[in-house]
Structures are given as structure tokens and as C-alpha cells.
PDB file of all heavy atoms in Angstrom:
ATOM      1  N   GLU A   6       3.707   8.495  -1.559  1.00 97.00           N
ATOM      2  CA  GLU A   6       4.318   8.232  -2.887  1.00 97.00           C
ATOM      3  C   GLU A   6       4.488   9.553  -3.730  1.00 97.00           C
ATOM      4  O   GLU A   6       5.517   9.747  -4.368  1.00 97.00           O
ATOM      5  CB  GLU A   6       3.411   7.273  -3.686  1.00 97.00           C
ATOM      6  CG  GLU A   6       3.970   6.818  -4.993  1.00 97.00           C
ATOM      7  CD  GLU A   6       3.007   5.884  -5.810  1.00 97.00           C
ATOM      8  OE1 GLU A   6       2.017   5.434  -5.198  1.00 97.00           O
ATOM      9  OE2 GLU A   6       3.334   5.527  -6.931  1.00 97.00           O
ATOM     10  N   LEU A   7       3.532  10.423  -3.655  1.00 97.00           N
ATOM     11  CA  LEU A   7       3.640  11.710  -4.343  1.00 97.00           C
ATOM     12  C   LEU A   7       4.769  12.502  -3.723  1.00 97.00           C
ATOM     13  O   LEU A   7       5.484  13.264  -4.533  1.00 97.00           O
ATOM     14  CB  LEU A   7       2.298  12.503  -4.156  1.00 97.00           C
ATOM     15  CG  LEU A   7       1.166  12.033  -4.961  1.00 97.00           C
ATOM     16  CD1 LEU A   7      -0.116  12.860  -4.574  1.00 97.00           C
ATOM     17  CD2 LEU A   7       1.389  11.949  -6.429  1.00 97.00           C
ATOM     18  N   LEU A   8       5.115  12.355  -2.481  1.00 98.00           N
ATOM     19  CA  LEU A   8       6.139  13.089  -1.833  1.00 98.00           C
ATOM     20  C   LEU A   8       7.513  12.334  -1.971  1.00 98.00           C
ATOM     21  O   LEU A   8       8.482  12.786  -1.392  1.00 98.00           O
ATOM     22  CB  LEU A   8       5.845  13.290  -0.430  1.00 98.00           C
ATOM     23  CG  LEU A   8       4.599  14.237  -0.046  1.00 98.00           C
ATOM     24  CD1 LEU A   8       4.322  14.186   1.436  1.00 98.00           C
ATOM     25  CD2 LEU A   8       4.854  15.633  -0.523  1.00 98.00           C
ATOM     26  N   GLU A   9       7.501  11.253  -2.752  1.00 98.00           N
ATOM     27  CA  GLU A   9       8.704  10.460  -2.937  1.00 98.00           C
ATOM     28  C   GLU A   9       9.254   9.870  -1.554  1.00 98.00           C
ATOM     29  O   GLU A   9      10.371   9.767  -1.344  1.00 98.00           O
ATOM     30  CB  GLU A   9       9.728  11.188  -3.619  1.00 98.00           C
ATOM     31  CG  GLU A   9       9.361  11.658  -5.010  1.00 98.00           C
ATOM     32  CD  GLU A   9      10.434  12.411  -5.723  1.00 98.00           C
ATOM     33  OE1 GLU A   9      11.237  13.132  -5.135  1.00 98.00           O
ATOM     34  OE2 GLU A   9      10.455  12.260  -7.045  1.00 98.00           O
ATOM     35  N   LEU A  10       8.297   9.518  -0.698  1.00 98.00           N
ATOM     36  CA  LEU A  10       8.626   8.888   0.570  1.00 98.00           C
ATOM     37  C   LEU A  10       8.320   7.393   0.444  1.00 98.00           C
ATOM     38  O   LEU A  10       7.140   6.995   0.114  1.00 98.00           O
ATOM     39  CB  LEU A  10       7.759   9.538   1.765  1.00 98.00           C
ATOM     40  CG  LEU A  10       7.827  11.034   1.850  1.00 98.00           C
ATOM     41  CD1 LEU A  10       6.890  11.488   2.987  1.00 98.00           C
ATOM     42  CD2 LEU A  10       9.210  11.571   2.058  1.00 98.00           C
ATOM     43  N   LYS A  11       9.273   6.575   0.788  1.00 98.00           N
ATOM     44  CA  LYS A  11       9.102   5.119   0.650  1.00 98.00           C
ATOM     45  C   LYS A  11       8.837   4.523   2.019  1.00 98.00           C
ATOM     46  O   LYS A  11       9.494   4.938   3.043  1.00 98.00           O
ATOM     47  CB  LYS A  11      10.298   4.460   0.034  1.00 98.00           C
ATOM     48  CG  LYS A  11      10.683   5.025  -1.383  1.00 98.00           C
ATOM     49  CD  LYS A  11       9.639   4.632  -2.408  1.00 98.00           C
ATOM     50  CE  LYS A  11      10.130   5.071  -3.777  1.00 98.00           C
ATOM     51  NZ  LYS A  11       9.068   4.803  -4.764  1.00 98.00           N
ATOM     52  N   PRO A  12       8.009   3.445   2.114  1.00 98.00           N
ATOM     53  CA  PRO A  12       7.883   2.794   3.411  1.00 98.00           C
ATOM     54  C   PRO A  12       9.084   2.094   3.846  1.00 98.00           C
ATOM     55  O   PRO A  12       9.766   1.375   3.085  1.00 98.00           O
ATOM     56  CB  PRO A  12       6.709   1.802   3.100  1.00 98.00           C
ATOM     57  CG  PRO A  12       6.782   1.508   1.624  1.00 98.00           C
ATOM     58  CD  PRO A  12       7.280   2.788   1.033  1.00 98.00           C
ATOM     59  N   TYR A  13       9.504   2.302   5.119  1.00 98.00           N
ATOM     60  CA  TYR A  13      10.772   1.689   5.572  1.00 98.00           C
ATOM     61  C   TYR A  13      10.635   0.913   6.898  1.00 98.00           C
ATOM     62  O   TYR A  13      11.525   0.234   7.271  1.00 98.00           O
ATOM     63  CB  TYR A  13      11.808   2.774   5.685  1.00 98.00           C
ATOM     64  CG  TYR A  13      11.667   3.679   6.847  1.00 98.00           C
ATOM     65  CD1 TYR A  13      12.367   3.410   8.056  1.00 98.00           C
ATOM     66  CD2 TYR A  13      10.864   4.810   6.791  1.00 98.00           C
ATOM     67  CE1 TYR A  13      12.365   4.226   9.124  1.00 98.00           C
ATOM     68  CE2 TYR A  13      10.774   5.691   7.946  1.00 98.00           C
ATOM     69  CZ  TYR A  13      11.472   5.361   9.063  1.00 98.00           C
ATOM     70  OH  TYR A  13      11.361   6.171  10.154  1.00 98.00           O
ATOM     71  N   TYR A  14       9.514   1.173   7.612  1.00 95.00           N
ATOM     72  CA  TYR A  14       9.270   0.314   8.755  1.00 95.00           C
ATOM     73  C   TYR A  14       7.792   0.311   9.135  1.00 95.00           C
ATOM     74  O   TYR A  14       7.031   1.179   8.739  1.00 95.00           O
ATOM     75  CB  TYR A  14      10.104   0.810  10.043  1.00 95.00           C
ATOM     76  CG  TYR A  14       9.493   1.770  10.953  1.00 95.00           C
ATOM     77  CD1 TYR A  14       9.188   1.302  12.350  1.00 95.00           C
ATOM     78  CD2 TYR A  14       9.201   3.034  10.628  1.00 95.00           C
ATOM     79  CE1 TYR A  14       8.620   2.185  13.102  1.00 95.00           C
ATOM     80  CE2 TYR A  14       8.640   3.953  11.486  1.00 95.00           C
ATOM     81  CZ  TYR A  14       8.332   3.549  12.780  1.00 95.00           C
ATOM     82  OH  TYR A  14       7.792   4.407  13.719  1.00 95.00           O
ATOM     83  N   LEU A  15       7.395  -0.765   9.738  1.00 96.00           N
ATOM     84  CA  LEU A  15       5.948  -0.829  10.193  1.00 96.00           C
ATOM     85  C   LEU A  15       5.899  -1.694  11.358  1.00 96.00           C
ATOM     86  O   LEU A  15       6.661  -2.615  11.669  1.00 96.00           O
ATOM     87  CB  LEU A  15       5.033  -1.350   9.067  1.00 96.00           C
ATOM     88  CG  LEU A  15       4.995  -2.852   8.682  1.00 96.00           C
ATOM     89  CD1 LEU A  15       4.045  -3.571   9.544  1.00 96.00           C
ATOM     90  CD2 LEU A  15       4.600  -2.994   7.169  1.00 96.00           C
ATOM     91  N   TYR A  16       4.814  -1.486  12.109  1.00 95.00           N
ATOM     92  CA  TYR A  16       4.470  -2.345  13.320  1.00 95.00           C
ATOM     93  C   TYR A  16       2.953  -2.239  13.546  1.00 95.00           C
ATOM     94  O   TYR A  16       2.300  -1.370  13.016  1.00 95.00           O
ATOM     95  CB  TYR A  16       5.302  -1.931  14.529  1.00 95.00           C
ATOM     96  CG  TYR A  16       4.977  -0.601  15.160  1.00 95.00           C
ATOM     97  CD1 TYR A  16       4.161  -0.451  16.245  1.00 95.00           C
ATOM     98  CD2 TYR A  16       5.521   0.600  14.594  1.00 95.00           C
ATOM     99  CE1 TYR A  16       3.885   0.823  16.786  1.00 95.00           C
ATOM    100  CE2 TYR A  16       5.274   1.824  15.147  1.00 95.00           C
ATOM    101  CZ  TYR A  16       4.416   1.896  16.210  1.00 95.00           C
ATOM    102  OH  TYR A  16       4.167   3.121  16.713  1.00 95.00           O
ATOM    103  N   ARG A  17       2.503  -3.177  14.328  1.00 93.00           N
ATOM    104  CA  ARG A  17       1.085  -3.243  14.638  1.00 93.00           C
ATOM    105  C   ARG A  17       0.939  -3.213  16.149  1.00 93.00           C
ATOM    106  O   ARG A  17       1.866  -3.555  16.889  1.00 93.00           O
ATOM    107  CB  ARG A  17       0.483  -4.534  14.011  1.00 93.00           C
ATOM    108  CG  ARG A  17       0.658  -4.574  12.468  1.00 93.00           C
ATOM    109  CD  ARG A  17      -0.006  -5.803  11.863  1.00 93.00           C
ATOM    110  NE  ARG A  17      -1.463  -5.679  11.863  1.00 93.00           N
ATOM    111  CZ  ARG A  17      -2.257  -6.598  12.304  1.00 93.00           C
ATOM    112  NH1 ARG A  17      -1.837  -7.730  12.783  1.00 93.00           N
ATOM    113  NH2 ARG A  17      -3.644  -6.329  12.264  1.00 93.00           N
ATOM    114  N   GLN A  18      -0.278  -2.964  16.640  1.00 86.00           N
ATOM    115  CA  GLN A  18      -0.571  -2.904  18.003  1.00 86.00           C
ATOM    116  C   GLN A  18      -1.856  -3.564  18.277  1.00 86.00           C
ATOM    117  O   GLN A  18      -2.706  -3.794  17.339  1.00 86.00           O
ATOM    118  CB  GLN A  18      -0.607  -1.481  18.568  1.00 86.00           C
ATOM    119  CG  GLN A  18       0.732  -0.727  18.476  1.00 86.00           C
ATOM    120  CD  GLN A  18       0.558   0.677  18.757  1.00 86.00           C
ATOM    121  OE1 GLN A  18       0.207   1.533  17.895  1.00 86.00           O
ATOM    122  NE2 GLN A  18       0.814   1.165  20.026  1.00 86.00           N
ATOM    123  N   LYS A  19      -2.172  -3.935  19.523  1.00 79.00           N
ATOM    124  CA  LYS A  19      -3.470  -4.469  19.890  1.00 79.00           C
ATOM    125  C   LYS A  19      -4.463  -3.285  19.753  1.00 79.00           C
ATOM    126  O   LYS A  19      -4.224  -2.129  19.946  1.00 79.00           O
ATOM    127  CB  LYS A  19      -3.494  -4.918  21.340  1.00 79.00           C
ATOM    128  CG  LYS A  19      -2.591  -6.205  21.506  1.00 79.00           C
ATOM    129  CD  LYS A  19      -2.671  -6.624  22.969  1.00 79.00           C
ATOM    130  CE  LYS A  19      -1.816  -7.891  23.171  1.00 79.00           C
ATOM    131  NZ  LYS A  19      -1.840  -8.373  24.626  1.00 79.00           N
ATOM    132  N   ASN A  20      -5.721  -3.720  19.462  1.00 75.00           N
ATOM    133  CA  ASN A  20      -6.881  -2.741  19.381  1.00 75.00           C
ATOM    134  C   ASN A  20      -6.667  -1.683  18.372  1.00 75.00           C
ATOM    135  O   ASN A  20      -7.073  -0.510  18.634  1.00 75.00           O
ATOM    136  CB  ASN A  20      -7.153  -2.174  20.773  1.00 75.00           C
ATOM    137  CG  ASN A  20      -7.347  -3.266  21.825  1.00 75.00           C
ATOM    138  OD1 ASN A  20      -7.986  -4.290  21.562  1.00 75.00           O
ATOM    139  ND2 ASN A  20      -6.822  -3.050  23.025  1.00 75.00           N
ATOM    140  N   MET A  21      -6.031  -2.004  17.299  1.00 80.00           N
ATOM    141  CA  MET A  21      -5.834  -0.900  16.221  1.00 80.00           C
ATOM    142  C   MET A  21      -7.072  -0.728  15.455  1.00 80.00           C
ATOM    143  O   MET A  21      -7.724  -1.662  15.136  1.00 80.00           O
ATOM    144  CB  MET A  21      -4.700  -1.325  15.295  1.00 80.00           C
ATOM    145  CG  MET A  21      -3.324  -1.424  15.906  1.00 80.00           C
ATOM    146  SD  MET A  21      -2.001  -1.530  14.739  1.00 80.00           S
ATOM    147  CE  MET A  21      -1.826   0.176  14.337  1.00 80.00           C
ATOM    148  N   ALA A  22      -7.414   0.550  15.139  1.00 79.00           N
ATOM    149  CA  ALA A  22      -8.577   0.911  14.396  1.00 79.00           C
ATOM    150  C   ALA A  22      -8.433   0.189  13.008  1.00 79.00           C
ATOM    151  O   ALA A  22      -7.399   0.286  12.283  1.00 79.00           O
ATOM    152  CB  ALA A  22      -8.631   2.367  14.205  1.00 79.00           C
ATOM    153  N   GLY A  23      -9.481  -0.541  12.627  1.00 81.00           N
ATOM    154  CA  GLY A  23      -9.488  -1.164  11.325  1.00 81.00           C
ATOM    155  C   GLY A  23      -8.664  -2.373  11.221  1.00 81.00           C
ATOM    156  O   GLY A  23      -8.442  -2.915  10.142  1.00 81.00           O
ATOM    157  N   ASN A  24      -7.985  -2.790  12.340  1.00 84.00           N
ATOM    158  CA  ASN A  24      -7.018  -3.897  12.362  1.00 84.00           C
ATOM    159  C   ASN A  24      -5.871  -3.639  11.251  1.00 84.00           C
ATOM    160  O   ASN A  24      -5.513  -4.595  10.592  1.00 84.00           O
ATOM    161  CB  ASN A  24      -7.738  -5.232  12.050  1.00 84.00           C
ATOM    162  CG  ASN A  24      -6.960  -6.435  12.354  1.00 84.00           C
ATOM    163  OD1 ASN A  24      -6.265  -6.497  13.379  1.00 84.00           O
ATOM    164  ND2 ASN A  24      -6.900  -7.398  11.447  1.00 84.00           N
ATOM    165  N   LEU A  25      -5.393  -2.452  11.259  1.00 91.00           N
ATOM    166  CA  LEU A  25      -4.424  -2.085  10.261  1.00 91.00           C
ATOM    167  C   LEU A  25      -3.013  -2.005  10.845  1.00 91.00           C
ATOM    168  O   LEU A  25      -2.553  -2.988  11.466  1.00 91.00           O
ATOM    169  CB  LEU A  25      -4.816  -0.784   9.532  1.00 91.00           C
ATOM    170  CG  LEU A  25      -6.074  -0.869   8.721  1.00 91.00           C
ATOM    171  CD1 LEU A  25      -6.549   0.489   8.310  1.00 91.00           C
ATOM    172  CD2 LEU A  25      -5.829  -1.785   7.524  1.00 91.00           C
ATOM    173  N   GLU A  26      -2.250  -0.942  10.576  1.00 94.00           N
ATOM    174  CA  GLU A  26      -0.853  -0.931  10.951  1.00 94.00           C
ATOM    175  C   GLU A  26      -0.348   0.473  11.086  1.00 94.00           C
ATOM    176  O   GLU A  26      -1.114   1.436  10.762  1.00 94.00           O
ATOM    177  CB  GLU A  26      -0.066  -1.648   9.875  1.00 94.00           C
ATOM    178  CG  GLU A  26       0.067  -0.890   8.553  1.00 94.00           C
ATOM    179  CD  GLU A  26      -1.161  -1.227   7.656  1.00 94.00           C
ATOM    180  OE1 GLU A  26      -1.931  -2.171   7.822  1.00 94.00           O
ATOM    181  OE2 GLU A  26      -1.297  -0.495   6.617  1.00 94.00           O
ATOM    182  N   ASN A  27       0.825   0.590  11.647  1.00 96.00           N
ATOM    183  CA  ASN A  27       1.504   1.910  11.603  1.00 96.00           C
ATOM    184  C   ASN A  27       2.658   1.826  10.655  1.00 96.00           C
ATOM    185  O   ASN A  27       3.441   0.784  10.677  1.00 96.00           O
ATOM    186  CB  ASN A  27       2.100   2.196  13.043  1.00 96.00           C
ATOM    187  CG  ASN A  27       0.990   2.318  14.078  1.00 96.00           C
ATOM    188  OD1 ASN A  27      -0.049   2.734  13.808  1.00 96.00           O
ATOM    189  ND2 ASN A  27       1.387   1.873  15.303  1.00 96.00           N
ATOM    190  N   VAL A  28       2.844   2.795   9.777  1.00 97.00           N
ATOM    191  CA  VAL A  28       3.820   2.700   8.718  1.00 97.00           C
ATOM    192  C   VAL A  28       4.742   4.086   8.728  1.00 97.00           C
ATOM    193  O   VAL A  28       4.185   5.115   8.770  1.00 97.00           O
ATOM    194  CB  VAL A  28       3.227   2.537   7.293  1.00 97.00           C
ATOM    195  CG1 VAL A  28       4.368   2.338   6.296  1.00 97.00           C
ATOM    196  CG2 VAL A  28       2.261   1.351   7.261  1.00 97.00           C
ATOM    197  N   GLY A  29       5.966   3.844   8.642  1.00 98.00           N
ATOM    198  CA  GLY A  29       6.859   5.040   8.508  1.00 98.00           C
ATOM    199  C   GLY A  29       7.342   5.105   7.074  1.00 98.00           C
ATOM    200  O   GLY A  29       7.810   4.178   6.425  1.00 98.00           O
ATOM    201  N   TYR A  30       7.202   6.274   6.499  1.00 98.00           N
ATOM    202  CA  TYR A  30       7.595   6.545   5.132  1.00 98.00           C
ATOM    203  C   TYR A  30       8.682   7.661   5.164  1.00 98.00           C
ATOM    204  O   TYR A  30       8.666   8.529   6.025  1.00 98.00           O
ATOM    205  CB  TYR A  30       6.470   7.141   4.214  1.00 98.00           C
ATOM    206  CG  TYR A  30       5.245   6.207   4.114  1.00 98.00           C
ATOM    207  CD1 TYR A  30       4.149   6.333   5.044  1.00 98.00           C
ATOM    208  CD2 TYR A  30       5.215   5.269   3.049  1.00 98.00           C
ATOM    209  CE1 TYR A  30       3.115   5.557   4.880  1.00 98.00           C
ATOM    210  CE2 TYR A  30       4.004   4.515   2.875  1.00 98.00           C
ATOM    211  CZ  TYR A  30       3.010   4.641   3.835  1.00 98.00           C
ATOM    212  OH  TYR A  30       1.982   3.821   3.705  1.00 98.00           O
ATOM    213  N   ALA A  31       9.716   7.506   4.310  1.00 98.00           N
ATOM    214  CA  ALA A  31      10.816   8.471   4.382  1.00 98.00           C
ATOM    215  C   ALA A  31      11.435   8.655   2.983  1.00 98.00           C
ATOM    216  O   ALA A  31      11.431   7.727   2.182  1.00 98.00           O
ATOM    217  CB  ALA A  31      11.898   8.064   5.365  1.00 98.00           C
ATOM    218  N   ARG A  32      12.055   9.828   2.754  1.00 98.00           N
ATOM    219  CA  ARG A  32      12.830  10.051   1.685  1.00 98.00           C
ATOM    220  C   ARG A  32      14.108   9.308   1.740  1.00 98.00           C
ATOM    221  O   ARG A  32      14.630   9.062   2.838  1.00 98.00           O
ATOM    222  CB  ARG A  32      13.125  11.574   1.485  1.00 98.00           C
ATOM    223  CG  ARG A  32      13.675  12.075   0.147  1.00 98.00           C
ATOM    224  CD  ARG A  32      13.549  13.541   0.042  1.00 98.00           C
ATOM    225  NE  ARG A  32      12.102  13.920  -0.176  1.00 98.00           N
ATOM    226  CZ  ARG A  32      11.386  14.669   0.664  1.00 98.00           C
ATOM    227  NH1 ARG A  32      11.966  14.997   1.784  1.00 98.00           N
ATOM    228  NH2 ARG A  32      10.133  14.902   0.326  1.00 98.00           N
ATOM    229  N   ALA A  33      14.711   8.851   0.615  1.00 97.00           N
ATOM    230  CA  ALA A  33      15.948   8.062   0.671  1.00 97.00           C
ATOM    231  C   ALA A  33      17.008   8.802   1.477  1.00 97.00           C
ATOM    232  O   ALA A  33      17.278   9.976   1.245  1.00 97.00           O
ATOM    233  CB  ALA A  33      16.405   7.782  -0.738  1.00 97.00           C
ATOM    234  N   GLY A  34      17.607   8.121   2.438  1.00 96.00           N
ATOM    235  CA  GLY A  34      18.678   8.718   3.284  1.00 96.00           C
ATOM    236  C   GLY A  34      18.166   9.370   4.508  1.00 96.00           C
ATOM    237  O   GLY A  34      18.945   9.805   5.390  1.00 96.00           O
ATOM    238  N   LYS A  35      16.835   9.501   4.651  1.00 98.00           N
ATOM    239  CA  LYS A  35      16.241  10.182   5.802  1.00 98.00           C
ATOM    240  C   LYS A  35      15.480   9.242   6.741  1.00 98.00           C
ATOM    241  O   LYS A  35      14.799   9.674   7.624  1.00 98.00           O
ATOM    242  CB  LYS A  35      15.279  11.304   5.348  1.00 98.00           C
ATOM    243  CG  LYS A  35      15.926  12.343   4.403  1.00 98.00           C
ATOM    244  CD  LYS A  35      16.936  13.170   5.137  1.00 98.00           C
ATOM    245  CE  LYS A  35      17.497  14.242   4.276  1.00 98.00           C
ATOM    246  NZ  LYS A  35      18.523  15.109   4.953  1.00 98.00           N
ATOM    247  N   GLU A  36      15.627   7.960   6.479  1.00 98.00           N
ATOM    248  CA  GLU A  36      14.940   6.944   7.336  1.00 98.00           C
ATOM    249  C   GLU A  36      15.458   7.026   8.707  1.00 98.00           C
ATOM    250  O   GLU A  36      16.629   7.308   8.965  1.00 98.00           O
ATOM    251  CB  GLU A  36      15.117   5.508   6.766  1.00 98.00           C
ATOM    252  CG  GLU A  36      14.593   5.437   5.322  1.00 98.00           C
ATOM    253  CD  GLU A  36      15.700   5.672   4.278  1.00 98.00           C
ATOM    254  OE1 GLU A  36      16.815   6.131   4.690  1.00 98.00           O
ATOM    255  OE2 GLU A  36      15.436   5.360   3.053  1.00 98.00           O
ATOM    256  N   CYS A  37      14.693   6.674   9.751  1.00 98.00           N
ATOM    257  CA  CYS A  37      15.091   6.651  11.115  1.00 98.00           C
ATOM    258  C   CYS A  37      15.699   5.190  11.377  1.00 98.00           C
ATOM    259  O   CYS A  37      14.997   4.286  11.516  1.00 98.00           O
ATOM    260  CB  CYS A  37      13.932   6.896  12.003  1.00 98.00           C
ATOM    261  SG  CYS A  37      14.418   6.873  13.755  1.00 98.00           S
ATOM    262  N   LEU A  38      17.041   5.208  11.575  1.00 98.00           N
ATOM    263  CA  LEU A  38      17.708   3.954  11.814  1.00 98.00           C
ATOM    264  C   LEU A  38      17.273   3.347  13.101  1.00 98.00           C
ATOM    265  O   LEU A  38      17.022   2.089  13.177  1.00 98.00           O
ATOM    266  CB  LEU A  38      19.193   4.183  11.917  1.00 98.00           C
ATOM    267  CG  LEU A  38      19.905   4.713  10.607  1.00 98.00           C
ATOM    268  CD1 LEU A  38      21.318   5.068  10.879  1.00 98.00           C
ATOM    269  CD2 LEU A  38      19.850   3.679   9.517  1.00 98.00           C
ATOM    270  N   TYR A  39      17.027   4.119  14.137  1.00 98.00           N
ATOM    271  CA  TYR A  39      16.615   3.632  15.449  1.00 98.00           C
ATOM    272  C   TYR A  39      15.294   2.866  15.333  1.00 98.00           C
ATOM    273  O   TYR A  39      15.159   1.770  15.936  1.00 98.00           O
ATOM    274  CB  TYR A  39      16.540   4.714  16.439  1.00 98.00           C
ATOM    275  CG  TYR A  39      15.801   4.272  17.738  1.00 98.00           C
ATOM    276  CD1 TYR A  39      16.577   3.797  18.761  1.00 98.00           C
ATOM    277  CD2 TYR A  39      14.425   4.454  17.891  1.00 98.00           C
ATOM    278  CE1 TYR A  39      15.929   3.348  19.903  1.00 98.00           C
ATOM    279  CE2 TYR A  39      13.820   3.967  19.065  1.00 98.00           C
ATOM    280  CZ  TYR A  39      14.577   3.467  20.048  1.00 98.00           C
ATOM    281  OH  TYR A  39      13.984   3.085  21.244  1.00 98.00           O
ATOM    282  N   ASN A  40      14.361   3.400  14.520  1.00 97.00           N
ATOM    283  CA  ASN A  40      13.087   2.703  14.370  1.00 97.00           C
ATOM    284  C   ASN A  40      13.217   1.298  13.869  1.00 97.00           C
ATOM    285  O   ASN A  40      12.513   0.392  14.302  1.00 97.00           O
ATOM    286  CB  ASN A  40      12.159   3.547  13.450  1.00 97.00           C
ATOM    287  CG  ASN A  40      11.567   4.767  14.120  1.00 97.00           C
ATOM    288  OD1 ASN A  40      11.497   4.862  15.333  1.00 97.00           O
ATOM    289  ND2 ASN A  40      11.118   5.731  13.315  1.00 97.00           N
ATOM    290  N   ILE A  41      14.074   1.166  12.882  1.00 97.00           N
ATOM    291  CA  ILE A  41      14.273  -0.216  12.325  1.00 97.00           C
ATOM    292  C   ILE A  41      14.954  -1.122  13.285  1.00 97.00           C
ATOM    293  O   ILE A  41      14.566  -2.212  13.575  1.00 97.00           O
ATOM    294  CB  ILE A  41      15.129  -0.140  11.024  1.00 97.00           C
ATOM    295  CG1 ILE A  41      14.382   0.675  10.037  1.00 97.00           C
ATOM    296  CG2 ILE A  41      15.358  -1.542  10.481  1.00 97.00           C
ATOM    297  CD1 ILE A  41      15.217   0.891   8.748  1.00 97.00           C
TER     298      ILE A  41
END
């Protein structure tokens, strides 16, 4: 947030530490289209 990067994609996997997630943050216009 301080870097002005917004969350634009996320996914989860088995056996993740803390049962959490993977999140991609990006500046507007710099998001990875392929990831989505």
C-alpha cells in the first residue's frame, strides 16, 4: 500500500504456511495479464 501497489491476483496451494495465500500487488498498468 505504501508503494501504491494494489492487489490484482491471488491463489492458494496445499500445505501453505499459516494456511494463507499468495498475492500479487502491482502499480496501475503494470499488472501481469498472464497471471490473471
Side-chain angles (χ1 to χ4, degrees):
E6 184 179 354
L7 291 177
L8 294 173
E9 299 182 327
L10 309 179
K11 302 293 185 183
Y13 76 95
Y14 93 112
L15 76 84
Y16 66 102
R17 304 181 71 227
Q18 296 170 275
K19 294 180 179 179
N20 305 320
M21 295 191 82
N24 194 43
L25 291 170
E26 68 276 346
N27 302 326
V28 186
Y30 301 89
R32 193 164 288 115
K35 303 295 185 179
E36 303 90 351
C37 181
L38 298 171
Y39 171 86
N40 282 340
I41 299 173

